[in-house]
Every structure is written in structure tokens, then in C-alpha cells.
Amino acid sequence: MQDLFKAHLNKFIMITDTEFEAISSFFTIISVKKKQNLLTEGAICRSHYFVLQGCLRKFFINEKGVEQTTEFAIENWWVTDHISYEHRRPSEFFIQAVEPAHLLMITKDKQDELLQAHPTMERYFRFIYQRAYAAAQMRTKYIFGLSKEAFYHHLNNHYPEFVQRIPQYLIASYLGFTPEYLSEIRAKKNS
Amino acid sequence: MQDLFKAHLNKFIMITDTEFEAISSFFTIISVKKKQNLLTEGAICRSHYFVLQGCLRKFFINEKGVEQTTEFAIENWWVTDHISYEHRRPSEFFIQAVEPAHLLMITKDKQDELLQAHPTMERYFRFIYQRAYAAAQMRTKYIFGLSKEAFYHHLNNHYPEFVQRIPQYLIASYLGFTPEYLSEIRAKKNS
DNA sequence: CGCGGGTTTGATGATGCTCAAGCCCGGTGG
DNA sequence: CCACCGGGCTTGAGCATCATCAAACCCGCG
């Protein structure tokens, strides 16, 4: 299971087997069931999660009481509420398993220690945040640049296997519209 | 002018005066005039910019031909098109001065050298990207969580001096709606 | 077999856009 | 110093996109 993480790390930095042993001792492997929450609104997000297998999502409840998904995390992605994690403030988000999942988990204190002890991990996380930030930039571009209908088709064309994998009401929640409207869009295409 | 950058750096990492000298030699100071472009669509974004003074914005042109602003950069913020910068691909964005500005500039090659020569800067940029990513997450939350009207009021309440500083049509462009609608919202409040 | 979560369908309505026109005001040239 | 020009802001009428609400349907699971 750890091998997945090692292969992932090696895409960004060079590390020896012995160093990997040391690094991986900072993490804990956990398994979660479908719909299980790793973080709920109001709690302080104490951990950073790496998806070995499965799928998580981050969402919040808007003023109308509707769940709005802001982010999915599948294999080889990290997820946390960065504001809450970094400043130890109550979170405005939930993090929940969409599918049963296997995760690596690290607390903020442990991560600080890890970065102290293994400066090469500063470089690794610099890459990770840079990648995540770039992805967020593109998402913002699509949100503003495309109509809701075009946004759905864009997602469907670029990540068909992902759209297959996830229930429709969560796709709608991620794209920021209602399941009813998504259903209408799909009906239009098939006619 | 460099002192501004030094003070900024010291908020994240400890560096000596001599190390700062070495680090700052990797950067170039440039000045730009209002409306001057630092990046245009189709070009490869070769530099990363740090705002010492003034204001920049990043935008793209949507399918209707309208400029959509995705990001502002004021004092102590970095800006680039991360996708283009990192992968040396043609950019889909423009970067333009909103106000006359003084900037630090560094090319990708120089930044790579800098990170190689001064590993402490890996830590610095890890913080910078982490902060930028967290900010992007919150922006996404507001985009989806608030109506357009509420989104404007939120910005106006939290950053009144910023809303003052920037022309209204750019605020509208940043919030993703038309200047006409912004005008309507403002009229409503004052009645 | 029945229940319940997820998807579909359709009628109605609000939010926010488009287009067109007028206004305000600061800058520039004569 | 004045006149005009043009960019930005405002106003209003009509309209498109997408939400809301209610009901029916489908199907996997207990």
C-alpha cells in the first residue's frame, strides 16, 4: 500500500529506500467507509490526507442548506481544509468519503516535524501546492468562462471515466447546479 | 525598494543580510505603466512577478469576447500563469497593470537556480503556494456559496479600501457579472 | 416485496444578462 | 481657458438561463 506513495513521491523527488522508510514513519494508514466524515463543519481540521485508493470530496453547506462540493480527491491527491489546518481554526467544510478509501494521514505537528527532518519534503510539498494551485486556477477559469451546460460537457469530455465513477447528484453539486438541471442537460444531448 | 521584499521574506523564513544579497541578485526590478501587458494570450509566460507596489490583474477573454478577471495582485503578492510558466505552454491568460507598478521579476530558469542554490527558498515558496491555494479555495467557496449580489457585498465589507482603489468595471469583471448589474446592486443599497 | 435514494419530467418564476440610450466627468487639444 | 471627446457609470425594458417545487419513476437492497 505504501508502495503507491513511494511511486508517487519518486515522480517529484529522488529518495533512497532508507529515507523513504524514515519518511513513511510519519504517516498513518487509515481506511474509511463510504459516507464517513473525516472532517465536519466547526471542527478543527487536524490532518492532511493523501488518497492511496478511493475518492473523497470536500464540501460546505450553503445558506440555503444545500451541500456544495468544492473539490474531489482521487488517487494521488492530497486534501485538507488548508485554512483550518494551518491556523487551527474551526473549519467551514466537511470532508467525506465518496467511495470506501485507503488514505495516508498526517497531523500538522507531524508534518512540521517531517519538513524539519527532511528538507527534501519542502520541495515535494512545494510541487504539490503549486500543482493544486494551478488546478484551482483552471477551475476558476472554467467556472467563469463556461455556461453551466458547457461546464458539464467540458468535464464529461475531459474526464469521462471520472463522471462515470461519481453519482450524478455529486457531479451537479461540484458544478454548482441542481440535479434537475443536470438531468435536463443530459436529456437534451441524447435527443 | 528591495527592502519591501526583504521585510516580506522575513515573515516566512530567517535569512541573513548576506544571504539576502545573494538571493536578490536573482531578481530584476521592473516598472510598468497602467494598462501595460506583462503577458498576452498565446505567449509563453516566462516570468514570475512579485508586486512591490501597485496592482496587477490576470484575466482571460471568454467565448463572448468579454474580459474575465480571475485574480488581482497587490503589494506582496506573486502572480504568473502557473500552467504556462511551469510547462512552457502558450498561455490562455493576460497579465496587465491596473495601476502603474514596481515589480520583482524572475524567469523560470532563474527561479530553478535560486531554489537549487538556496534550499530555504523551497520553504518560502511552499508557504507562498500554500497561501495562494488556500485563498483560491476560499474564493471558490464564495463563488458558489453566495449570490452575485451577496458576493459583491462580501467583497465590499471585507476589503472596502480595495474596492475603492479599483474601477467598478474591474470589480464586476472579477466577480463575474456585468457593470450594469453592479450598478443596479449599488443603487439598491443606497435607496 | 416494499422501501428509499437517486434520477427524470414539467410548470412556474427569479436572478442576472443584453441592448440601447443618456449622463457625468476628467483629460486633451485648440 | 474653454470645448469637446470618450471612457466609465447609470437606467430601464425585454429576455435567457437556471432554480424551485411537486410528482412520478426506476432500481438496488434489505
Side-chain angles (χ1 to χ4, degrees):
Chain A
M1 209 78 217
Q2 294 265 15
D3 295 350
L4 295 168
F5 184 50
K6 189 171 173 186
H8 165 76
L9 271 181
N10 272 323
K11 282 188 269 179
F12 297 91
I13 53 173
M14 305 293 287
I15 45 171
T16 63
D17 286 7
T18 53
E19 191 169 11
F20 178 74
E21 291 303 316
I23 287 170
S24 67
S25 74
F26 286 85
F27 296 92
T28 311
I29 296 192
I30 62 170
S31 296
V32 290
K33 285 184 271 193
K34 191 172 167 174
K35 302 243 173 186
Q36 185 176 334
N37 285 327
L38 290 157
L39 171 67
T40 55
E41 187 182 350
I44 293 172
C45 186
R46 304 202 174 274
S47 299
H48 202 176
Y49 303 100
F50 178 83
V51 180
L52 293 165
Q53 199 189 31
C55 179
L56 307 181
R57 71 180 179 120
K58 184 159 94 183
F59 66 93
F60 67 95
I61 311 256
N62 69 20
E63 48 205 351
K64 292 172 191 156
V66 176
E67 292 182 2
Q68 171 66 52
T69 300
T70 57
E71 191 179 337
F72 287 105
I74 59 172
E75 287 78 12
N76 293 334
W77 275 88
W78 286 91
V79 65
T80 188
D81 172 355
H82 297 275
I83 306 275
S84 175
Y85 180 74
E86 200 58 30
H87 300 100
R88 303 177 197 271
R89 282 209 294 259
S91 177
E92 301 176 14
F93 291 92
F94 296 76
I95 297 176
Q96 188 181 74
V98 173
E99 303 169 352
H102 298 287
L103 312 171
L104 288 185
M105 185 181 97
I106 188 168
T107 63
K108 171 148 175 58
D109 291 338
K110 277 285 182 188
Q111 187 172 347
D112 287 345
E113 277 179 44
L114 171 64
L115 291 169
Q116 207 67 37
H118 299 271
T120 181
M121 291 301 278
E122 288 281 8
R123 183 172 171 80
Y124 167 72
F125 278 108
R126 197 257 301 163
F127 278 123
I128 290 300
Y129 285 122
Q130 188 172 344
R131 177 179 76 157
Y133 180 47
Q137 294 290 292
M138 289 314 288
R139 179 151 149 82
T140 302
K141 181 172 189 254
Y142 298 134
I143 291 169
F144 283 119
L146 304 174
S147 71
K148 304 231 162 177
E149 183 173 351
F151 196 11
Y152 169 72
H153 288 134
H154 181 272
L155 187 71
N156 205 23
N157 293 337
H158 287 259
Y159 307 98
E161 63 312 317
F162 180 74
V163 174
Q164 299 292 345
R165 180 172 173 179
I166 305 293
Q168 281 187 44
Y169 73 99
L170 289 182
I171 299 290
S173 168
Y174 179 64
L175 296 176
F177 51 74
T178 58
E180 290 96 325
Y181 188 57
L182 178 52
S183 183
E184 196 181 322
I185 292 170
R186 285 163 47 85
K188 211 184 292 183
K189 191 87 173 201
N190 295 336
S191 65
Chain B
M1 209 79 215
Q2 294 265 16
D3 294 350
L4 295 169
F5 184 51
K6 189 170 172 186
H8 165 76
L9 272 182
N10 272 322
K11 280 188 269 179
F12 297 91
I13 54 174
M14 304 294 286
I15 44 171
T16 62
D17 287 6
T18 54
E19 191 170 11
F20 178 73
E21 290 303 315
I23 288 170
S24 67
S25 74
F26 286 85
F27 297 92
T28 311
I29 295 192
I30 62 170
S31 296
V32 289
K33 285 185 270 193
K34 193 172 164 174
K35 300 244 173 186
Q36 186 174 334
N37 284 327
L38 289 158
L39 171 67
T40 56
E41 187 182 351
I44 293 172
C45 186
R46 303 201 175 277
S47 299
H48 202 176
Y49 303 100
F50 178 83
V51 180
L52 293 165
Q53 198 190 32
C55 180
L56 306 180
R57 72 183 178 118
K58 184 158 96 185
F59 66 93
F60 67 94
I61 311 256
N62 70 20
E63 47 204 351
K64 292 175 191 156
V66 176
E67 293 181 0
Q68 171 67 52
T69 301
T70 57
E71 190 179 339
F72 286 105
I74 59 172
E75 289 78 11
N76 294 334
W77 275 86
W78 286 92
V79 66
T80 189
D81 173 355
H82 297 275
I83 306 274
S84 175
Y85 180 75
E86 201 58 30
H87 300 100
R88 301 177 198 272
R89 283 209 295 257
S91 177
E92 301 176 14
F93 291 92
F94 296 77
I95 296 176
Q96 188 182 73
V98 173
E99 304 169 351
H102 298 287
L103 312 171
L104 288 185
M105 186 181 96
I106 188 168
T107 63
K108 170 147 175 61
D109 291 339
K110 278 285 182 187
Q111 187 173 346
D112 287 346
E113 278 180 43
L114 171 65
L115 291 170
Q116 208 66 38
H118 299 271
T120 179
M121 291 301 279
E122 288 282 9
R123 183 171 170 80
Y124 167 72
F125 278 109
R126 197 258 299 164
F127 278 124
I128 290 300
Y129 286 121
Q130 189 172 344
R131 178 181 75 158
Y133 180 47
Q137 292 291 293
M138 289 314 288
R139 179 152 150 80
T140 301
K141 182 173 189 250
Y142 298 134
I143 290 168
F144 283 118
L146 304 174
S147 70
K148 303 231 164 178
E149 183 173 352
F151 197 11
Y152 169 72
H153 288 135
H154 180 272
L155 187 70
N156 204 23
N157 293 336
H158 287 260
Y159 307 98
E161 64 312 317
F162 179 74
V163 174
Q164 297 292 345
R165 180 173 173 178
I166 305 293
Q168 281 187 42
Y169 73 99
L170 289 182
I171 298 290
S173 169
Y174 178 65
L175 296 176
F177 51 74
T178 58
E180 291 95 326
Y181 189 58
L182 177 52
S183 185
E184 196 181 322
I185 292 169
R186 285 163 46 86
K188 211 183 292 184
K189 190 85 173 203
N190 295 335
S191 64

